[in-house]
Amino acid sequence: MLKVEHIGIAVKELPGAIRIFEKLLNTKCYKTENVETEQVNTAFFQKGTTKIELLESSINDGVIAKFIEKKGEGIHHIAFEVADIEAEMERLKGEGFILLNEIPKPGADNKLVCFLHPKETNGVLIELCMERKECNL
Ligand code: ZN
């Protein structure tokens, strides 16, 4: 793992949350993106080399909607950048962690991602992410 790439925050309503984080971070949201496969609308902020990803459910009973129903708004996941996502998935599987997807899947912000089950990580949902390159599109 290279570094914390971003922190994902579940929000009820994206436009209002964007305004709050623009004020908080004193920087403009640089990208919004709908990720159909995850049923989320996302918004990204960058501070230094770390990003904040706001996540709003794009459908009524999506995973983010369910998360907010159970726990309220707040930190949803921590994403670590990795150099080789498949190698890191193999390593973590060998260490006994449970992967929520067996093959890397396309995520927001031009990334390939894999999530780890929070049961094995002290309740924190962990995302591995790697920049998508031409060859692995
Ligand atoms: Zn994320």
Side-chain angles (χ1 to χ4, degrees):
M1 300 212 189
L2 301 172
K3 62 164 192 174
V4 173
E5 211 277 337
H6 65 268
I7 295 171
I9 299 174
V11 303
K12 282 186 188 155
E13 181 261 316
L14 206 52
I18 289 173
R19 282 195 296 276
I20 289 169
F21 276 80
E22 283 183 338
K23 277 191 255 179
L24 176 71
L25 301 171
N26 196 23
T27 192
K28 288 274 169 211
C29 165
Y30 72 87
K31 180 200 262 187
T32 56
E33 185 181 350
N34 169 264
V35 187
E36 198 126 357
T37 51
E38 301 292 311
Q39 302 159 336
V40 292
N41 297 315
T42 64
F44 284 89
F45 299 85
Q46 180 136 22
K47 273 285 161 176
T49 59
T50 305
K51 296 169 187 162
I52 298 289
E53 174 186 34
L54 302 180
L55 303 146
E56 169 201 67
S57 190
S58 58
I59 58 164
N60 281 337
D61 57 347
V63 286
I64 294 300
K66 285 183 190 145
F67 175 88
I68 290 174
E69 207 170 287
K70 256 207 283 195
K71 299 187 172 176
E73 291 184 299
I75 293 180
H76 177 260
H77 65 270
I78 298 179
F80 291 96
E81 184 176 0
V82 298
D84 180 341
I85 194 163
E86 275 161 356
E88 199 65 13
M89 286 165 69
E90 255 332 287
R91 183 185 76 79
L92 292 166
K93 211 154 80 170
E95 295 284 1
F97 293 98
I98 299 167
L99 308 179
L100 292 182
N101 48 295
E102 283 296 316
I103 52 166
K105 58 180 180 179
D109 205 26
N110 196 38
K111 297 277 196 291
L112 284 173
V113 303
C114 175
F115 287 93
L116 304 184
H117 199 293
K119 195 176 85 175
E120 311 295 331
T121 52
N122 299 78
V124 183
L125 180 62
I126 302 290
E127 172 186 335
L128 309 176
C129 65
M130 183 178 82
E131 197 77 29
R132 271 163 87 166
K133 311 214 174 63
E134 298 287 322
C135 58
N136 54 31
L137 282 175

